[in-house]
Amino acid sequence: MRTLELNKFKAFKDPISLNLDGKSLLMYGENGSGKSSLYEAIKLTFFSLKLQGNLSAATPEDLEQQKNDLLSKYNNKVDNQNFSIKINGTEYDSFIRSNYQVFMISLEELFIDNKINIKELLRSFFLDITDIDIICQQAAKLIEQEVNEKLNSFSESVRIEIDEEDDYSLKIIDDSRNISSTTELRKFFNEGKINAIVLLVLLTAIELSKDPTKENKILVLDDFITSLDVSNRTFLIKLIIENFADTQVIILTHNISFYNLIMFMINKIRSKPKKKTESSEWLFCNLYEINNCHKIYFKNNIERVKTIKEDYGKLGTANSNVEIDAIGNRIRRKFEILLYEYSKLLMIGTVEDSSKIIDRIMNGKAAYYNSEGKTASDLIDDLEVILQQNIAHNLPRRLQNKIDSYKNHSFSNFKKIITELKLYQKVTMHPLSHGIAGIPTFTTREIEKSIDLLEKMEDFLRDMVDSNVSGV
């Protein structure tokens, strides 16, 4: 998949596009930023027949109306106009899918009551597997063997058995606890273990179902790490990156720690020599929403302030084709991205949330995070643990020590930068982006100062990354 363009589709009131050029993608976005809409757009493109499979009507006219009603649910609720999805420049309903094999996993679509049936599990997801019955008949024991090998690498004390006589039901066995069960799984095993097993079964079945005649393979994973501990997450990422090197992988997550972990591991693994059949090219992007407008920026393409500064220095020369209003747009965009990166670094959330943190700094208050990347929410959890211990001895001091370990006052320079930038945002960035032709709205001194402050802000955030999340 080279490009994906959406307009008036679910969360996206305005056009938005992803330029992938066939590369794999890691996307971070807060809940509500539009990640699920991207996931649904890919699903509708490649699995429209499955989505329409439950429709039934007495007449062709009624069936057509049901199809229209189904599609209308994808329209943006503000505009309520017909949506548009384009894959590689072609409308989704005209796009030729025959050369694609697509697998989509979102644990939000997973519901496990008391029992796991392998056939039902594979059917419950959107997986381009030609015949699930045949896969189960021919490869059930191989799936069992490979999943158990992977669970052993997970250092999990459990293993599985697939009972072909019981319609391919899955038994989970924990020898260390002398537990073996096919039913009431949630009674005996925690959610993390069950989800880890489900993911391994799905990924193993997908690996065994790859069709060599399909040139383009796509694996889409949407927030698929629910309840997995850090060690299992690391192993799972490594497994996906290495075992699906011949596949365009698209990972969507709202978990910033997971995003950073995946990015670190991708960079670590792809630094190794590649096999002939593998493509280790990855794009890293952020999806965010501000003022009801959804925006995407790729970390691979984030413009450095140095570049803006150089282009500004060329204004009016024979080698420059850049206009002054374009410089203003780039300054404003860079400021917005730096604020977003700052909020993401603290794992606070959206750009709107970051403005609250900025206000705290401006008012001389501390921001709360520690060198492990934990934030105020984690501080509350830690305080609750101390209180639940019910140990009265030196309680005030222990609580204060924990608070102090999160408190960070080292923002004096940052406060000064933000104070001045907010002023220049009103004086320089906004008029340059929305000014009226013929009316002077800025001075060269103001734009030069804006660039200088952006440079300082960029350096400050880079220092924060180096000191607090080194290695990520």
Side-chain angles (χ1 to χ4, degrees), residues 88-104:
N88 300 344
T90 302
E91 288 289 347
Y92 84 100
D93 50 0
S94 302
F95 182 72
I96 298 174
R97 307 166 179 80
S98 57
N99 201 27
Y100 283 79
Q101 189 177 22
V102 180
F103 310 98
M104 304 186 70

Side-chain angles (χ1 to χ4, degrees), residues 266-392:
I266 288 171
N267 287 328
K268 181 179 179 181
I269 291 172
R270 72 179 179 179
S271 64
K272 300 176 182 178
K274 292 191 297 182
K275 300 175 184 177
K276 290 183 179 180
T277 57
E278 110 183 17
S279 171
S280 60
E281 290 298 315
W282 279 80
L283 299 172
F284 308 109
C285 81
N286 287 243
L287 174 65
Y288 64 100
E289 184 269 333
I290 184 169
N291 296 330
N292 297 317
C293 181
H294 293 81
K295 301 182 180 183
I296 294 176
Y297 68 88
F298 286 84
K299 292 184 73 69
N300 316 58
N301 299 327
I302 293 179
E303 185 172 43
R304 295 290 303 275
V305 179
K306 178 182 178 182
T307 306
I308 303 175
K309 190 174 184 178
E310 289 173 351
D311 285 350
Y312 172 70
K314 296 175 184 177
L315 283 175
T317 67
N319 297 326
S320 175
N321 58 0
V322 179
E323 299 293 335
I324 188 68
D325 57 343
I327 293 291
N329 277 321
R330 289 161 64 183
I331 292 174
R332 177 173 55 85
R333 170 107 169 122
K334 182 65 178 181
F335 183 42
E336 183 179 290
I337 288 175
L338 286 174
L339 280 180
Y340 179 78
E341 284 293 309
Y342 175 60
S343 71
K344 186 158 63 71
L345 179 63
L346 296 185
M347 290 185 282
I348 330 162
T350 62
V351 174
E352 287 84 350
D353 289 335
S354 71
S355 66
K356 298 175 184 177
I357 301 299
I358 296 299
D359 287 342
R360 287 188 62 86
I361 294 172
M362 300 289 286
N363 292 320
K365 297 180 179 178
Y368 290 84
Y369 69 96
N370 68 14
S371 60
E372 298 174 358
K374 294 184 176 181
T375 60
S377 298
D378 300 293
L379 170 58
I380 297 298
D381 292 340
D382 288 350
L383 294 179
E384 283 187 340
V385 170
I386 294 175
L387 292 172
Q388 288 167 2
Q389 292 171 346
N390 200 25
I391 301 173

Side-chain angles (χ1 to χ4, degrees), residues 396-431:
R397 172 49 54 192
R398 286 188 288 122
L399 291 173
Q400 188 62 53
N401 287 342
K402 180 58 67 175
I403 293 171
D404 289 344
S405 70
Y406 279 78
K407 188 179 294 187
N408 198 311
H409 283 291
S410 59
F411 294 109
S412 56
N413 290 333
F414 194 49
K415 175 181 176 181
K416 183 177 179 182
I417 294 168
I418 292 295
T419 302
E420 294 190 53
L421 263 176
K422 287 177 76 71
L423 172 63
Y424 284 103
Q425 182 185 29
K426 295 176 181 177
V427 174
T428 307
M429 299 182 214
H430 181 75

Side-chain angles (χ1 to χ4, degrees), residues 17-285:
S17 63
L18 279 174
N19 296 313
L20 302 176
D21 195 27
K23 299 174 182 177
S24 292
L25 175 72
L26 171 62
M27 172 181 283
Y28 167 78
E30 290 293 322
N31 286 328
S33 62
K35 287 189 293 73
S36 295
S37 296
L38 285 170
Y39 185 85
E40 291 297 320
I42 298 172
K43 183 194 295 183
L44 182 59
T45 297
F46 291 99
F47 295 96
S48 56
L49 292 179
K50 182 172 181 176
L51 289 168
Q52 296 172 14
N54 293 327
L55 301 180
S56 61
T59 66
E61 291 77 15
D62 288 343
L63 183 61
E64 190 63 28
Q65 183 59 51
Q66 287 187 27
K67 290 180 181 178
N68 290 335
D69 292 343
L70 174 66
L71 294 177
S72 68
K73 294 179 181 179
Y74 293 98
N75 292 336
N76 177 266
K77 300 306 179 187
V78 176
D79 275 5
N80 201 28
Q81 298 179 21
N82 291 337
F83 66 83
S84 170
I85 304 174
K86 288 185 179 181
I87 303 285
N88 300 344
T90 302
E91 288 289 347
Y92 84 100
D93 50 0
S94 302
F95 182 72
I96 298 174
R97 307 166 179 80
S98 57
N99 201 27
Y100 283 79
Q101 189 177 22
V102 180
F103 310 98
M104 304 186 70
I105 299 176
S106 172
L107 287 188
E108 287 187 1
E109 298 170 342
L110 173 65
F111 175 75
I112 295 175
D113 188 10
N114 290 315
K115 190 174 181 178
I116 298 175
N117 176 283
I118 299 299
K119 288 197 291 188
E120 291 178 4
L121 177 67
L122 294 176
R123 289 193 180 107
S124 66
F125 288 89
F126 290 82
L127 309 175
D128 186 4
I129 299 176
T130 304
D131 194 320
I132 289 174
D133 286 338
I134 291 178
I135 281 291
C136 289
Q137 291 167 14
Q138 296 180 348
K141 286 303 175 186
L142 185 55
I143 292 173
E144 176 186 304
Q145 177 185 334
E146 294 200 13
V147 168
N148 283 330
E149 288 177 1
K150 291 166 184 173
L151 284 169
N152 187 52
S153 299
F154 263 37
S155 298
E156 289 285 0
S157 61
V158 298
R159 56 188 174 89
I160 68 165
E161 288 181 3
I162 298 176
D163 189 346
E164 299 180 49
E165 301 299 322
D166 187 19
D167 198 28
Y168 302 96
S169 61
L170 186 144
K171 179 187 291 185
I172 303 179
I173 304 161
D174 187 338
D175 292 319
S176 66
R177 296 193 297 155
N178 197 28
I179 295 174
S180 174
S181 184
T182 305
T183 60
E184 297 186 293
L185 296 179
R186 293 193 178 278
K187 177 180 177 181
F188 298 108
F189 304 99
N190 64 41
E191 184 180 14
K193 274 191 171 55
I194 293 175
N195 285 347
I197 290 169
V198 166
L199 284 169
L200 289 177
V201 169
L202 290 171
L203 292 171
T204 302
I206 290 171
E207 287 181 66
L208 297 173
S209 303
K210 288 180 181 178
D211 186 345
T213 67
K214 300 289 182 74
E215 184 179 350
N216 303 301
K217 297 177 179 62
I218 301 174
L219 173 64
V220 187
L221 303 165
D222 181 26
D223 274 331
F224 63 104
I225 57 160
T226 306
S227 301
L228 300 185
D229 62 35
V230 173
S231 61
N232 284 352
R233 292 178 184 184
T234 302
F235 178 82
L236 193 63
I237 298 163
K238 187 173 183 290
L239 183 151
I240 290 168
I241 295 171
E242 293 182 342
N243 290 18
F244 290 88
D246 61 344
T247 302
Q248 184 179 26
V249 180
I250 298 174
I251 300 177
L252 312 173
T253 181
H254 75 280
N255 186 307
I256 187 59
S257 297
F258 190 49
Y259 175 86
N260 286 336
L261 177 61
I262 299 175
M263 186 163 60
F264 170 70
M265 292 196 65
I266 288 171
N267 287 328
K268 181 179 179 181
I269 291 172
R270 72 179 179 179
S271 64
K272 300 176 182 178
K274 292 191 297 182
K275 300 175 184 177
K276 290 183 179 180
T277 57
E278 110 183 17
S279 171
S280 60
E281 290 298 315
W282 279 80
L283 299 172
F284 308 109
C285 81

